[in-house]
């Protein structure tokens, strides 16, 4: 090894390791956001489906309970979870619309701060008149 090449591997490592850590953080973040979005869609669909299986007067309360419970089951990490459930008529059919937005925590990759990110999901389920024939 020549004398002027001494320590060059250490210098290269010092320069490359932070760049590799930042790149790996971005790859992890790129996978985490779509996964969070898909999980939120599943939770909202489950809440709307559960609310459509009960009496319309209990649908909103049931869907909110299922949404909170399912978000824990799917381990959705939100700084703030906003949601609403409303009984609506869509294309002539009465049903339940559930909407949710999850504000994801610290979407920064190492020393880089990419700002906050939120994912949103909406689902509409028609009331199942064959299961529930009671109160409207």
């Amino acid at each position: 090894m020549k004398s002027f090449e001494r320590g060059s591997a250490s210098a290269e490592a010092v320069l490359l390791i932070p760049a590799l850590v930042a790149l790996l953080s971005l790859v992890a973040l790129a996978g985490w956001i779509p996964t969070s979005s898909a999980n939120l869609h599943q939770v909202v669909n489950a809440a709307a489906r559960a609310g459509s299986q009960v009496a319309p007067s209990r649908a909103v309360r049931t869907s909110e309970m299922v949404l909170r419970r399912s978000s824990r089951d799917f381990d959705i990490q939100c700084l703030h979870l906003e949601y609403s459930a409303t009984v609506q008529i869509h294309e002539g059919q009465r049903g339940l619309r559930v909407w949710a937005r999850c504000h994801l925590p610290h979407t920064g990759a190492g020393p880089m701060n990419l700002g906050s990110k939120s994912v949103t999901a909406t689902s509409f389920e028609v009331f199942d008149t064959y299961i529930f024939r009671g109160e409207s």
Side-chain angles (χ1 to χ4, degrees):
M1 180 178 282
K2 298 178 184 170
S3 63
F4 65 87
E5 291 179 349
R6 242 181 178 177
S8 64
S10 298
E12 289 174 4
V14 166
L15 294 174
L16 286 178
I17 288 177
L20 288 174
V21 168
L23 181 64
L24 289 174
S25 297
L26 285 173
V27 168
L29 181 66
W32 177 57
I33 292 172
T35 300
S36 297
S37 179
N39 286 345
L40 185 64
H41 276 86
Q42 288 181 342
V43 166
V44 167
N45 287 340
R49 190 169 36 257
S52 71
Q53 302 292 315
V54 298
S57 61
R58 296 184 356 216
V60 170
R61 190 175 48 227
T62 300
S63 66
E64 289 174 350
M65 179 193 66
V66 169
L67 189 130
R68 285 191 304 271
R69 184 177 297 156
S70 296
S71 64
R72 284 191 306 269
D73 292 345
F74 278 89
D75 195 29
I76 296 176
Q77 302 292 324
C78 296
L79 287 176
H80 180 63
L81 178 64
E82 301 172 51
Y83 58 87
S84 69
T86 55
V87 175
Q88 294 182 349
I89 296 177
H90 179 68
E91 295 180 3
Q93 297 192 326
R94 190 169 181 215
L96 181 70
R97 180 171 307 281
V98 178
W99 169 89
R101 175 181 293 139
C102 173
H103 298 277
L104 301 173
H106 57 78
T107 55
M112 301 182 315
N113 185 3
L114 301 177
S116 63
K117 177 73 177 162
S118 63
V119 291
T120 305
T122 304
S123 182
F124 180 81
E125 288 285 331
V126 175
F127 285 115
D128 193 338
T129 56
Y130 295 107
I131 289 178
F132 185 80
R133 295 177 189 246
E135 161 189 357
S136 55

